[in-house]
Amino acid sequence: MAVIINEALLKKAEELKRPLKKHIVYPEKTVKIINDKNAFQELRAIADKKISFPVTLSAGDEIIFDFNDHIVGYVSFSLDNDGLVKITDSPVKLQFSFGEFPLEITASPEEYKGGLGKGWLQNEERSYVFTPCEGSLERRYSFRYLRIKRTDNAAFPIKLSSLKVCTVSAVDIKDAPVLKTDDEILKKIYDMSIKTLKECEQDVFEDGPKRDRRLWIGDLKLQAMSDYGIFGNLTLIKRCIYLFAGATGKHKMIAPCIFPDSPPFVDEWTFCDYSLFFISCLYDFYKNTGDISLIEELFDTAYRQMEAVSEKIDKNTGIINLHPFIDWCPDLDKKTAILGVYIYTLKQLKELGELLGKDNKKTEAEINTASKLLLSFYDEKTGLFTTPSGQISEHSQVWAVLSGVLRDEQAATLCAKIKDIKTPFTMRTPYMMHYYIEALYTSGLKNEALEFIKNYWGKIADAGFDCCPEIFNPENEFESPYNAPEINSACHAWSCTPAYWLPKLLGE
Amino acid sequence: MAVIINEALLKKAEELKRPLKKHIVYPEKTVKIINDKNAFQELRAIADKKISFPVTLSAGDEIIFDFNDHIVGYVSFSLDNDGLVKITDSPVKLQFSFGEFPLEITASPEEYKGGLGKGWLQNEERSYVFTPCEGSLERRYSFRYLRIKRTDNAAFPIKLSSLKVCTVSAVDIKDAPVLKTDDEILKKIYDMSIKTLKECEQDVFEDGPKRDRRLWIGDLKLQAMSDYGIFGNLTLIKRCIYLFAGATGKHKMIAPCIFPDSPPFVDEWTFCDYSLFFISCLYDFYKNTGDISLIEELFDTAYRQMEAVSEKIDKNTGIINLHPFIDWCPDLDKKTAILGVYIYTLKQLKELGELLGKDNKKTEAEINTASKLLLSFYDEKTGLFTTPSGQISEHSQVWAVLSGVLRDEQAATLCAKIKDIKTPFTMRTPYMMHYYIEALYTSGLKNEALEFIKNYWGKIADAGFDCCPEIFNPENEFESPYNAPEINSACHAWSCTPAYWLPKLLGE
């Protein structure tokens, strides 16, 4: 078994679990979803009726309830009959379909051919033998729209006499600071971002509350970084760091993700950039709290991430023989970018080592070696980084900038031209775009960073999202890493970093 | 509103509610259902494997669990994953199909075209996001076979680590007396009958635990009559009598059925024979308990049933202008049979009236009038009863015998030849057959009664039933009053009266 469990750390993670905050919310109106070529994914939800309970449902009826905002929670409802003499004489069957966005409601589950398990499709069918009755679905759903369709064939009507959702989150949106700006677009982007952050804060920092509902360290790094200034949920950040440290994969590498239920499960495979980001999580924790005790406790685990990667570097070719994530860009040669990640995180490790008075020789040597290797992929002529296979990608440039191997003016020049590179290997996810924004920021290109956020996330807002989606390509609204856009997550933690950047960029 | 509620009586019914007895049962083996021309409905469940938990389920797998006997209860189970590194990374979908008999498992719900609501089909699909988890279905099911099919498409296996059913009933089978006989067929029939009685005793005497799950007075009459000697559940019998008296239909007629949930609901329509059987329920209660207080309390309600029918008798034609049930025989002219029911129940009413010192004039006059009207349908030449439309049916003869309008030897002669009448209007349900047996018994034809039970219910046992079905036609195994044999109830109270007759017939 390649998984290494540290019970003491997992116990600490368990002790940091807190009850979730709950709110009861009700649908505001019903909508119809119509085809509209000008709308995102060619679908538009248009207001139908203001809701007045009870709502009558006859066989075959379907109603789409709109909760007016993205919610994460548990549905419950009451069914009643039509009075003493119009009784429910056979069981009522109701089909529930949940959607964060209209396509999720209209796509047929029978035709689903996506690469992810179809169990993620948010639909259920239930039967209710007698009315009146109280119904509830035990699964937690993430949605704005809920379609209820009566699928039995009995002649009597029934009444849906109430419908509510108990929403859950570790934090309360009203505790987030208000963004000081008059720019309505930036306000909207900020609101979407803090909403996304909130929706993903549950028993752990989830990547997405609809799917995969688990703790990924690539997401955690960005969520925690954003959260210090928004909700300041240090308990949850610490809990998640302990979870990763408490259940590591082979060679004691930090797992890419943790399944939150007890005992925490981890996947056997790793992403080496994700493992290295454990260092960043510790680094950011110290930077934001000044608390050194957690760093002392987990420094060795962080240090081990360097060692594990170090063992796999071919010092001749500069190739790290491990799999990184970097981004969802098909056929991307990630070898240059991962060197950048390695240097970026090792510089943080070095700083932590200095803080603790550790021997930093190995770290420094690794930084030097890796920096030389990375610079060997720099083409003085074009001023761009390439890869061992000769590929020019946006990703290589971004991570080269973030590694700090270039002189400041070199970095700024490179950074300024990233978006002008003619290459099919472009950033695909808001996750990768965060690192682009960081590269702009550290290169002093703050206006460009703000403009990029306003442009890209502004289009997300225009498309009608309530939160920040996992993936958003204005050129292809049906893009999906899973070949099924309906399974895409419309509320995804790694896209929420405007919650970090906007206060920073506007406050300076 | 045609329903008349007597809160005081309903309160008494509520107070007589008792907790159900629960037992945990486990499946014994798995089965395969194969086609077999010699088996009932051409399907046979053959033993597959002895069960050893955990049972592994991969996508697409299906397993049919056999609980080795009919059960009524609530399913719960545990799901687990394959260890630390083989995790459930997308939700598992399980489809549950319950069957009292094999056809219910093999029939496709999509192709259901029955006349009853398809909500009665016993199937559910559920999703489970994380494992390990505990699952349960909140609906109560009635079944012997449970097929679990994994319908998601994810690549990982899961483990069903436990599967159990918490069975419920108001009574315990071990409290039933043992039938004193060496005849294995009669023993088996008796066991099926008391099992049926037990399975249907829940919060009320249900007609069938699979469907309709409610209190019908036609069934209650036979259930209570049987129960006095088997489980002696006087509390439940009294509770059900109060329920009927507490919620009556228009003209204060006893409703044909009560929906057991609170407030009790009743249908607006009536079956006049069913309304009259309220008299029989009171009569039997007194005869079996000697307790006169319930009769005193509810005599007026019983008396009202006579009045309501009396108002609808055309004294010239002998036609009662109300709908009776009698039996499920298509195109049956029920007019003669209902006169028989009227006289049969009025004679019981008269006896109760005498007991209480009531004025019986009206009752006696009605018996006399109805007897004359009934006899006007007697054809001296054939020795058979006909109907206003000239129809010869088995039903008319049975109820004429039970009415007692014939002299004893006339009745015995008629009764002896009922099964030899060449008519398409034959008894179709075990319910109607009970009255035939009663007619044989009261005519002194006890051996014939025993032989009939052994022959008919013996064939039911041979077909592989665990309990007594709602309908059973050895000539057409797919017969269904709902045009869908899979929706037939295989455990139906009105078929359980061998539990009453066998001890009586063998004990004398």
Side-chain angles (χ1 to χ4, degrees), chain B residues 231-251:
Chain B
F231 298 112
N233 192 351
L234 301 184
T235 314
L236 189 62
I237 296 172
K238 216 164 158 177
R239 165 168 154 74
C240 291
I241 291 173
Y242 276 130
L243 277 170
F244 275 115
T248 50
K250 60 181 167 185
H251 316 304

mmCIF file of all heavy atoms in Angstrom, chain B residues 231-251:
data_model
loop_
_atom_site.group_PDB
_atom_site.id
_atom_site.type_symbol
_atom_site.label_atom_id
_atom_site.label_comp_id
_atom_site.label_asym_id
_atom_site.label_seq_id
_atom_site.Cartn_x
_atom_site.Cartn_y
_atom_site.Cartn_z
ATOM 1 N N PHE B 231 -54.210 -14.625 15.426
ATOM 2 C CA PHE B 231 -53.372 -13.727 16.237
ATOM 3 C C PHE B 231 -54.175 -13.029 17.335
ATOM 4 O O PHE B 231 -53.601 -12.466 18.255
ATOM 5 C CB PHE B 231 -52.689 -12.678 15.346
ATOM 6 C CG PHE B 231 -51.765 -13.272 14.320
ATOM 7 C CD1 PHE B 231 -52.068 -13.218 12.959
ATOM 8 C CD2 PHE B 231 -50.588 -13.904 14.708
ATOM 9 C CE1 PHE B 231 -51.218 -13.765 12.015
ATOM 10 C CE2 PHE B 231 -49.723 -14.458 13.762
ATOM 11 C CZ PHE B 231 -50.049 -14.395 12.409
ATOM 12 N N GLY B 232 -55.508 -13.033 17.196
ATOM 13 C CA GLY B 232 -56.354 -12.397 18.207
ATOM 14 C C GLY B 232 -56.013 -10.931 18.442
ATOM 15 O O GLY B 232 -55.994 -10.458 19.582
ATOM 16 N N ASN B 233 -55.755 -10.220 17.348
ATOM 17 C CA ASN B 233 -55.341 -8.814 17.463
ATOM 18 C C ASN B 233 -56.573 -7.901 17.569
ATOM 19 O O ASN B 233 -56.894 -7.128 16.661
ATOM 20 C CB ASN B 233 -54.477 -8.458 16.252
ATOM 21 C CG ASN B 233 -53.759 -7.122 16.416
ATOM 22 O OD1 ASN B 233 -54.027 -6.375 17.360
ATOM 23 N ND2 ASN B 233 -52.855 -6.830 15.502
ATOM 24 N N LEU B 234 -57.258 -7.988 18.723
ATOM 25 C CA LEU B 234 -58.507 -7.248 18.902
ATOM 26 C C LEU B 234 -58.296 -5.738 18.837
ATOM 27 O O LEU B 234 -59.168 -5.012 18.366
ATOM 28 C CB LEU B 234 -59.139 -7.601 20.259
ATOM 29 C CG LEU B 234 -59.470 -9.081 20.474
ATOM 30 C CD1 LEU B 234 -60.171 -9.276 21.811
ATOM 31 C CD2 LEU B 234 -60.351 -9.605 19.340
ATOM 32 N N THR B 235 -57.148 -5.284 19.310
ATOM 33 C CA THR B 235 -56.848 -3.844 19.276
ATOM 34 C C THR B 235 -56.903 -3.316 17.852
ATOM 35 O O THR B 235 -57.510 -2.279 17.582
ATOM 36 C CB THR B 235 -55.426 -3.598 19.832
ATOM 37 O OG1 THR B 235 -55.290 -4.346 21.025
ATOM 38 C CG2 THR B 235 -55.187 -2.141 20.108
ATOM 39 N N LEU B 236 -56.280 -4.038 16.950
ATOM 40 C CA LEU B 236 -56.232 -3.574 15.560
ATOM 41 C C LEU B 236 -57.607 -3.691 14.895
ATOM 42 O O LEU B 236 -57.998 -2.817 14.115
ATOM 43 C CB LEU B 236 -55.178 -4.365 14.773
ATOM 44 C CG LEU B 236 -54.872 -3.831 13.366
ATOM 45 C CD1 LEU B 236 -54.309 -2.411 13.426
ATOM 46 C CD2 LEU B 236 -53.886 -4.734 12.630
ATOM 47 N N ILE B 237 -58.320 -4.765 15.203
ATOM 48 C CA ILE B 237 -59.660 -4.928 14.617
ATOM 49 C C ILE B 237 -60.549 -3.760 15.049
ATOM 50 O O ILE B 237 -61.222 -3.119 14.234
ATOM 51 C CB ILE B 237 -60.285 -6.286 15.041
ATOM 52 C CG1 ILE B 237 -59.441 -7.449 14.478
ATOM 53 C CG2 ILE B 237 -61.735 -6.377 14.579
ATOM 54 C CD1 ILE B 237 -59.844 -8.828 14.986
ATOM 55 N N LYS B 238 -60.501 -3.463 16.350
ATOM 56 C CA LYS B 238 -61.319 -2.375 16.892
ATOM 57 C C LYS B 238 -60.894 -1.042 16.267
ATOM 58 O O LYS B 238 -61.731 -0.222 15.894
ATOM 59 C CB LYS B 238 -61.075 -2.324 18.403
ATOM 60 C CG LYS B 238 -62.283 -1.970 19.221
ATOM 61 C CD LYS B 238 -62.042 -2.332 20.675
ATOM 62 C CE LYS B 238 -62.948 -1.534 21.592
ATOM 63 N NZ LYS B 238 -62.771 -1.937 22.995
ATOM 64 N N ARG B 239 -59.578 -0.851 16.148
ATOM 65 C CA ARG B 239 -59.062 0.387 15.536
ATOM 66 C C ARG B 239 -59.608 0.570 14.118
ATOM 67 O O ARG B 239 -60.031 1.655 13.725
ATOM 68 C CB ARG B 239 -57.524 0.323 15.505
ATOM 69 C CG ARG B 239 -56.853 1.336 14.609
ATOM 70 C CD ARG B 239 -55.358 1.403 14.867
ATOM 71 N NE ARG B 239 -54.611 1.874 13.687
ATOM 72 C CZ ARG B 239 -54.592 3.127 13.269
ATOM 73 N NH1 ARG B 239 -55.270 4.054 13.918
ATOM 74 N NH2 ARG B 239 -53.907 3.461 12.190
ATOM 75 N N CYS B 240 -59.632 -0.507 13.375
ATOM 76 C CA CYS B 240 -60.089 -0.410 11.981
ATOM 77 C C CYS B 240 -61.592 -0.158 11.911
ATOM 78 O O CYS B 240 -62.066 0.592 11.047
ATOM 79 C CB CYS B 240 -59.697 -1.676 11.219
ATOM 80 S SG CYS B 240 -57.910 -1.804 10.990
ATOM 81 N N ILE B 241 -62.334 -0.772 12.815
ATOM 82 C CA ILE B 241 -63.782 -0.523 12.851
ATOM 83 C C ILE B 241 -64.047 0.950 13.172
ATOM 84 O O ILE B 241 -64.882 1.610 12.534
ATOM 85 C CB ILE B 241 -64.463 -1.473 13.872
ATOM 86 C CG1 ILE B 241 -64.420 -2.922 13.341
ATOM 87 C CG2 ILE B 241 -65.898 -1.030 14.165
ATOM 88 C CD1 ILE B 241 -64.902 -3.982 14.323
ATOM 89 N N TYR B 242 -63.299 1.483 14.125
ATOM 90 C CA TYR B 242 -63.458 2.912 14.460
ATOM 91 C C TYR B 242 -63.081 3.812 13.284
ATOM 92 O O TYR B 242 -63.694 4.851 13.054
ATOM 93 C CB TYR B 242 -62.582 3.288 15.658
ATOM 94 C CG TYR B 242 -63.207 2.996 17.011
ATOM 95 C CD1 TYR B 242 -62.507 2.294 17.985
ATOM 96 C CD2 TYR B 242 -64.494 3.455 17.321
ATOM 97 C CE1 TYR B 242 -63.067 2.030 19.234
ATOM 98 C CE2 TYR B 242 -65.060 3.200 18.559
ATOM 99 C CZ TYR B 242 -64.348 2.490 19.514
ATOM 100 O OH TYR B 242 -64.910 2.252 20.734
ATOM 101 N N LEU B 243 -62.050 3.433 12.558
ATOM 102 C CA LEU B 243 -61.652 4.243 11.395
ATOM 103 C C LEU B 243 -62.791 4.337 10.390
ATOM 104 O O LEU B 243 -63.098 5.417 9.872
ATOM 105 C CB LEU B 243 -60.402 3.657 10.727
ATOM 106 C CG LEU B 243 -59.057 4.042 11.349
ATOM 107 C CD1 LEU B 243 -57.922 3.208 10.746
ATOM 108 C CD2 LEU B 243 -58.760 5.544 11.147
ATOM 109 N N PHE B 244 -63.414 3.187 10.118
ATOM 110 C CA PHE B 244 -64.532 3.212 9.155
ATOM 111 C C PHE B 244 -65.704 4.014 9.692
ATOM 112 O O PHE B 244 -66.327 4.778 8.956
ATOM 113 C CB PHE B 244 -64.964 1.783 8.810
ATOM 114 C CG PHE B 244 -64.139 1.179 7.709
ATOM 115 C CD1 PHE B 244 -63.328 0.079 7.943
ATOM 116 C CD2 PHE B 244 -64.167 1.726 6.437
ATOM 117 C CE1 PHE B 244 -62.559 -0.468 6.923
ATOM 118 C CE2 PHE B 244 -63.395 1.183 5.411
ATOM 119 C CZ PHE B 244 -62.591 0.090 5.658
ATOM 120 N N ALA B 245 -65.998 3.848 10.962
ATOM 121 C CA ALA B 245 -67.137 4.576 11.535
ATOM 122 C C ALA B 245 -66.834 6.068 11.645
ATOM 123 O O ALA B 245 -67.745 6.900 11.606
ATOM 124 C CB ALA B 245 -67.467 3.996 12.917
ATOM 125 N N GLY B 246 -65.546 6.413 11.748
ATOM 126 C CA GLY B 246 -65.151 7.805 11.991
ATOM 127 C C GLY B 246 -65.067 8.660 10.748
ATOM 128 O O GLY B 246 -65.046 9.888 10.836
ATOM 129 N N ALA B 247 -65.000 8.034 9.592
ATOM 130 C CA ALA B 247 -64.915 8.819 8.346
ATOM 131 C C ALA B 247 -65.793 8.148 7.301
ATOM 132 O O ALA B 247 -65.348 7.274 6.564
ATOM 133 C CB ALA B 247 -63.469 8.903 7.862
ATOM 134 N N THR B 248 -67.042 8.576 7.265
ATOM 135 C CA THR B 248 -67.989 7.941 6.354
ATOM 136 C C THR B 248 -68.221 8.815 5.127
ATOM 137 O O THR B 248 -67.958 10.016 5.148
ATOM 138 C CB THR B 248 -69.338 7.670 7.063
ATOM 139 O OG1 THR B 248 -69.751 8.869 7.705
ATOM 140 C CG2 THR B 248 -69.192 6.561 8.081
ATOM 141 N N GLY B 249 -68.732 8.189 4.080
ATOM 142 C CA GLY B 249 -68.965 8.902 2.835
ATOM 143 C C GLY B 249 -70.347 9.529 2.802
ATOM 144 O O GLY B 249 -70.993 9.706 3.835
ATOM 145 N N LYS B 250 -70.790 9.853 1.608
ATOM 146 C CA LYS B 250 -72.071 10.560 1.497
ATOM 147 C C LYS B 250 -73.218 9.670 2.000
ATOM 148 O O LYS B 250 -73.139 8.448 1.923
ATOM 149 C CB LYS B 250 -72.306 11.077 0.081
ATOM 150 C CG LYS B 250 -72.348 10.056 -1.017
ATOM 151 C CD LYS B 250 -72.560 10.757 -2.360
ATOM 152 C CE LYS B 250 -72.300 9.798 -3.510
ATOM 153 N NZ LYS B 250 -72.383 10.452 -4.813
ATOM 154 N N HIS B 251 -74.231 10.292 2.527
ATOM 155 C CA HIS B 251 -75.358 9.599 3.159
ATOM 156 C C HIS B 251 -74.889 8.732 4.317
ATOM 157 O O HIS B 251 -75.512 7.729 4.640
ATOM 158 C CB HIS B 251 -76.128 8.729 2.149
ATOM 159 C CG HIS B 251 -76.371 9.405 0.837
ATOM 160 N ND1 HIS B 251 -77.017 10.623 0.754
ATOM 161 C CD2 HIS B 251 -76.043 9.057 -0.437
ATOM 162 C CE1 HIS B 251 -77.073 10.992 -0.512
ATOM 163 N NE2 HIS B 251 -76.486 10.070 -1.254
#
